[in-house]
Amino acid sequence: MTELMERKAFITRWRKMLKLQEKLDERIVMGNGLTYKDLLDGDLYVAAVLDEIGELNHELKADWCWWKKTQAPVDEKKVLEEFVDVLHFVLSWQLAHHEVSGLPLSKFTAIAFSEYENSGRFAEQRRVVSAFQPMMLRLSECNTYPPVSQLMWLMRCLKLDFEDVYQAYLAKNKENHARQDRGY
């Protein structure tokens, strides 16, 4: 297991991701004539996160698909990419919740760090089903707080390193802006 990042470094990175996500949301959400309230009221974040979790689960298929002898091994790079797609929507959900309810973003940042910091309780073996259970329970509640704690639980269950996640987020955010430039 990798060493945990110091609190200040974690919070600095989380805040930067929120700022980058806000700029991307301005292009995507507001650029499509929507508001954060529209997304929250329509449970669209729940649908988006469920979709991305499905893609992530598919990338982990070799960990749980016992009946298929020809199943390709897990591609850790693709797992990281799919996790970052989930992260994009959870960050956007935080921004939406902040704008609509006024709940400070610092509350979500503190929740994320707290779950990250408590990661010592994880087994050495990746457990796919137990990784998804808290996220699925939170999503079934629809339109509650963004599943920040559950996202961090998922990250640590999947044995992803936060610095790797952060760097992959920066790259994907840049790619998402380029997609917008191309009319995606």
Side-chain angles (χ1 to χ4, degrees), residues 2 17 20 69 103 145:
T2 58
M17 289 189 301
L20 292 171
K69 293 178 180 146
L103 195 64
Y145 290 134

Side-chain angles (χ1 to χ4, degrees), residues 4-173:
L4 290 179
M5 184 177 291
E6 293 292 325
R7 184 180 207 286
K8 183 177 179 181
F10 179 94
I11 288 172
T12 299
R13 285 165 176 74
W14 194 268
R15 287 179 179 159
K16 177 161 184 170
M17 289 189 301
L18 283 167
K19 286 188 185 309
L20 292 171
Q21 189 63 46
E22 187 172 32
K23 288 179 182 172
L24 184 61
D25 283 358
E26 286 172 8
R27 294 187 74 181
I28 297 172
V29 178
M30 291 67 174
N32 285 310
L34 297 168
T35 66
Y36 281 137
K37 187 171 181 343
D38 296 330
L39 300 179
L40 289 171
D41 288 349
D43 292 332
L44 299 181
Y45 283 112
V46 173
V49 171
L50 280 171
D51 183 61
E52 295 301 337
I53 285 195
E55 291 181 24
L56 174 58
N57 188 46
H58 183 76
E59 290 303 330
L60 292 162
K61 197 168 182 179
D63 282 359
W64 57 263
C65 184
W66 72 91
W67 63 89
K68 186 176 178 186
K69 293 178 180 146
T70 59
Q71 182 61 47
V74 171
D75 180 334
E76 297 299 333
K77 185 175 184 246
K78 288 183 179 178
V79 168
L80 178 60
E81 289 170 3
E82 294 302 340
F83 178 83
V84 167
D85 287 346
V86 175
L87 174 61
H88 267 86
F89 285 110
V90 171
L91 290 170
S92 181
W93 194 345
Q94 286 180 68
L95 293 163
H97 219 290
H98 168 69
E99 182 176 291
V100 172
S101 73
L103 195 64
L105 289 172
S106 59
K107 178 175 176 69
F108 296 120
T109 304
I111 290 168
F113 182 74
S114 176
E115 188 65 45
Y116 172 73
E117 191 175 42
N118 290 323
S119 63
R121 61 187 173 189
F122 293 91
E124 289 303 311
Q125 182 180 356
R126 175 164 58 198
R127 303 289 302 192
V128 175
V129 173
S130 52
F132 288 118
Q133 284 173 337
M135 180 71 82
M136 300 309 286
L137 286 172
R138 173 53 71 99
L139 292 174
S140 71
E141 297 168 1
C142 288
N143 223 1
T144 59
Y145 290 134
V148 176
S149 177
Q150 294 78 6
L151 178 77
M152 299 311 293
W153 168 269
L154 181 59
M155 182 190 84
R156 301 306 290 175
C157 281
L158 297 176
K159 304 297 182 200
L160 298 174
D161 178 74
F162 184 71
E163 183 62 27
D164 293 342
V165 168
Y166 175 70
Q167 294 302 324
Y169 175 86
L170 296 178
K172 184 63 184 254
N173 187 272

